């Protein structure tokens, strides 16, 4: 079959179209487009069908679908190509997001940085500050390990610009929180409160790890993708239990360390995760 | 709902003309004072109408958020943010800045710009007419008034800096139970720095708006 590839302004991207076998998939089409154009890597292509009047989100073409299944009966075989720009793997994105806070926090604990803002160096280091450093650094270490050994990602890539944007978010909050918890004038909470906080945090991190494993086992080993509803453990009661445990472990950290900085990060993160969870609930329904 | 549309129009018409009246007072008293007493007295003469008109503009953020007007929040927020900051966190908070000649350039730039803007929108909402002369003014005077206004804002913040540092006003120091601190001097420096990307952004936004408005006027002509 002959497939015509145009841009969103209906200019032909590949002159004369692309000739493909009847059984060809969208993936084959993307590979052919790449071969013909040279610079349009498959990951940077978003292919969709021409909009029917009144339709708002375009029908994006999924990689493994066969082309003959995708085109409506008797249509000219036209696909619209959107250039997505440079992409990175999700694992790359996550790695940079998490490695920053890991080192930044440790720097504020170990290095004499406060003299640069005219403050005296710490006279005493409270136990809670030491435990907080261990907790925080372990937390981001866990996240990095999960990125490479646990998580199975749905879409192959995400835009390069997300690296800059997301790192700003994670790294700025890391600086903000690390600065205040390790501050020479930091005021610790009572011992009981500290233990309750870290206790809650550790329990939730373990629960969170278990949730991630349940989610990992949901994905078809052949990488079919798509959303499925997780079952078992907390998922029987809560839709996105992995986010819930994430939020409560953050709460634990804040109960133990008690800073405005830490709580503000918790509020923002909760807000963001609520949006993701709402989207997922919608998809699962 | 036709009723809602009329209500919105009445509200916007009233809003624009009321704030216009505020800025008219600002301009009037500024010019009068400059002619009779000199620049040191300008702030004292315009303080109340200035605070009223400038603070009322906060409503415009909600107008954008709730779709009453088309302006994106990304353009209104920095503009109103910087205006409110200079009006309250600098001029009102640090009286030492009030006698500066920069207050005059600030107040004149702001009031002339806002008179054009509010009358333009007021005409449109109340009478349904957009006089081409007003439209030309609105999309041309910013070429001069944005630089003069922005430089005045920056100038006043710079004037206030030593007083910010010495007075410790609005500073929150540690130790405290919430383990939070706020250093006004540092925050003021940060605000000044934000003018570096912020000013070209606002200026080029207006240039873009001008192109759009002139293209639309040409098409309907």
């Amino acid at each position: 079959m002959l497939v015509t590839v145009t841009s969103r302004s209906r200019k032909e991207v590949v002159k004369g179209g692309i000739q493909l076998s009847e059984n060809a998939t969208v993936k084959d089409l993307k590979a052919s487009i790449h071969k013909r154009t040279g610079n349009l890597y498959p990951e940077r292509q978003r292919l969709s069908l021409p909009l029917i009047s009144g339709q708002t989100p375009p029908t994006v073409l999924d990689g493994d679908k066969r082309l003959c299944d995708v085109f409506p009966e008797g249509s000219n075989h036209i696909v619209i190509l959107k250039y997505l720009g440079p992409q990175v793997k999700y694992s790359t994105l996550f790695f940079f997001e998490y490695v920053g806070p890991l080192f930044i926090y440790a720097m504020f604990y170990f290095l004499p940085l406060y003299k640069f803002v005219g403050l005296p160096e710490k006279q005493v280091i409270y136990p809670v500050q030491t435990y907080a450093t261990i907790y925080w650094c372990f937390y981001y270490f866990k996240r990095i390990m999960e990125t490479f050994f646990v998580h199975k990602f749905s879409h192959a890539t995400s835009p390069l610009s997300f690296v800059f944007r997301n790192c700003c978010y994670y790294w700025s909050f890391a600086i903000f929180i690390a600065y205040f918890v390790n501050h020479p004038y930091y005021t610790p909470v009572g011992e009981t409160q500290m233990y309750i906080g870290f206790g809650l945090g550790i329990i939730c991190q373990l629960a969170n790890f278990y949730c991630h494993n349940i989610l990992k086992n949901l994905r078809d080993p052949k990488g079919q993708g798509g959303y499925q509803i997780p079952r078992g453990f907390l998922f029987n009661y809560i839709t996105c239990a992995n986010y819930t445990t994430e939020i409560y472990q953050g709460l634990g950290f804040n109960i133990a360390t008690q800073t405005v900085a830490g709580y503000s990060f918790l509020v923002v993160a909760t807000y963001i995760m609520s949006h993701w969870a709402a989207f997922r609930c919608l998809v699962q329904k | 709902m036709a009723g809602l549309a009329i209500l919105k129009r009445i509200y916007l018409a009233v809003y624009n003309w009321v704030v216009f009246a505020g800025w008219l007072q600002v301009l009037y008293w500024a010019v009068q004072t400059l002619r009779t007493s000199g620049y040191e007295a300008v702030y004292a003469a315009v303080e109340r109408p200035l605070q009223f008109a400038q603070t009322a503009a906060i409503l415009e953020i909600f107008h954008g958020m709730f779709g009453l007007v088309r302006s994106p929040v990304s353009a209104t927020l920095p503009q109103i943010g910087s205006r409110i900051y200079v009006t309250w966190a600098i001029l009102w908070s640090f009286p030492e800045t009030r006698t500066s000649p920069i207050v005059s350039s600030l107040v004149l730039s702001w009031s002339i710009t806002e008179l054009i803007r509010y009358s333009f929108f007021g005409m449109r909402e109340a009478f349904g007419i957009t006089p081409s002369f007003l439209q030309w003014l609105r999309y041309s005077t910013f070429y001069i008034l944005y630089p003069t206004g922005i430089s005045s804002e920056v100038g006043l913040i710079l004037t206030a800096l030593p007083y910010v540092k010495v007075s410790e006003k609005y500073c929150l120091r540690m130790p405290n139970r919430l383990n939070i601190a706020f250093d006004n001097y540092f925050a003021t420096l940060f605000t000044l720095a934000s003018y570096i990307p912020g000013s070209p952004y606002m200026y080029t936004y207006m240039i873009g708006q001008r192109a759009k408005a002139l293209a639309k006027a040409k098409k309907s002509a």
Side-chain angles (χ1 to χ4, degrees), chain B residues 8 11 14 38-39 67 77 93 100 107 134 160-161 192 196:
Chain B
K8 169 182 123 170
Y11 167 72
V14 169
Y39 66 78
L77 207 57
S93 305
S100 165
V107 155
L134 258 185
L161 261 182
L192 273 172
I196 300 175

Side-chain angles (χ1 to χ4, degrees), chain A residues 207 210-219 227-242 281 283-285:
Chain A
Y210 190 56
C211 288
H212 285 161
N213 274 287
I214 294 177
L215 290 173
K216 164 187 110 168
N217 292 327
L218 273 187
R219 289 219 183 269
Y227 291 109
Q228 297 173 68
I229 302 177
R231 298 252 178 264
F233 190 50
L234 291 173
F235 289 106
N236 287 334
Y237 311 103
I238 306 167
T239 313
C240 293
N242 51 323
C281 274
V283 166
Q284 281 171 11
K285 282 203 163 74

Side-chain angles (χ1 to χ4, degrees), chain A residues 182-204:
Chain A
N182 297 297
H183 198 281
Y185 296 144
Y186 174 77
T187 312
V189 296
E191 219 186 10
T192 320
Q193 186 173 334
M194 175 186 79
Y195 283 126
I196 292 174
F198 285 131
L200 174 65
I202 292 170
I203 292 170
C204 290

Side-chain angles (χ1 to χ4, degrees), chain A residues 89-166:
Chain A
K89 283 186 5 203
Y90 261 113
S91 46
T92 314
L93 171 66
F94 282 20
F95 174 73
F96 282 109
E97 285 175 2
Y98 302 151
V99 79
L102 182 61
F103 285 103
I104 289 170
Y105 197 105
M107 270 173 36
F108 276 91
Y109 180 79
F110 288 113
L111 300 178
L113 298 178
Y114 293 92
K115 63 169 178 268
F116 295 113
V117 287
L119 288 165
E121 268 319 305
K122 315 184 239 296
Q123 302 305 325
V124 57
I125 295 181
Y126 296 100
V128 66
Q129 289 172 309
T130 310
Y131 300 150
T133 306
I134 299 171
Y135 182 95
W136 176 280
C137 294
F138 173 75
Y139 174 73
Y140 281 98
F141 172 75
K142 164 179 168 286
R143 279 220 185 176
I144 294 174
M145 290 295 108
E146 284 172 336
T147 301
F148 290 120
F149 300 113
V150 177
H151 294 313
K152 293 225 174 70
F153 299 108
S154 56
H155 304 286
T157 60
S158 107
L160 182 63
S161 58
F162 278 21
V163 177
F164 180 70
R165 181 194 76 164
N166 292 11

Side-chain angles (χ1 to χ4, degrees), chain A residues 180 183 185-187 257-260, chain B residues 174-182:
Chain A
F180 282 108
H183 198 281
Y185 296 144
Y186 174 77
T187 312
T257 53
Q258 197 158 292
T259 62
V260 168
Chain B
M174 274 167 79
N176 60 66
R177 268 179 14 146
L178 293 175
N179 290 311
I180 186 69
F182 178 75

Side-chain angles (χ1 to χ4, degrees), chain B residues 20-164:
Chain B
F20 174 87
W23 284 110
L24 196 59
Q25 284 187 66
V26 173
L27 183 62
Y28 174 76
W29 287 116
V31 170
Q32 270 293 92
T33 314
L34 279 173
R35 278 175 39 190
T36 54
S37 319
Y39 66 78
E40 292 101 337
V42 168
Y43 180 81
V46 303
E47 186 179 35
R48 284 292 172 245
L50 175 69
Q51 288 175 335
F52 165 73
Q54 197 57 86
T55 312
I58 292 180
L59 287 173
E60 288 169 42
I61 300 177
F62 297 106
H63 295 172
M65 255 205 280
F66 297 127
L68 245 66
V69 296
R70 261 182 320 197
S71 313
V73 181
S74 65
T76 46
L77 207 57
Q79 163 111 332
I80 295 178
S82 70
R83 298 286 195 87
I84 299 284
Y85 179 77
V86 172
T87 306
W88 291 104
I90 301 291
L91 283 171
W92 180 76
S93 305
F94 297 98
E96 302 91 334
T97 58
R98 297 176 188 180
T99 49
S100 165
I102 305 177
V103 174
S104 304
S105 58
L106 179 85
V107 155
L108 290 172
S109 307
W110 282 4
S111 57
I112 297 174
T113 303
E114 297 302 62
L115 283 173
I116 297 170
R117 187 163 78 95
Y118 285 109
S119 60
F120 176 75
F121 287 121
M123 285 282 186
R124 202 177 64 181
E125 297 299 333
F127 309 116
I129 50 172
T130 48
S132 52
F133 179 58
L134 258 185
Q135 183 165 53
W136 180 86
L137 276 178
R138 165 161 167 65
Y139 290 112
S140 308
T141 50
F142 78 89
Y143 276 120
I144 310 272
L145 293 177
Y146 260 44
T148 55
I150 291 173
S151 326
S152 306
E153 290 178 31
V154 170
L156 275 177
I157 299 173
L158 283 170
T159 312
L161 261 182
Y163 305 107
V164 171

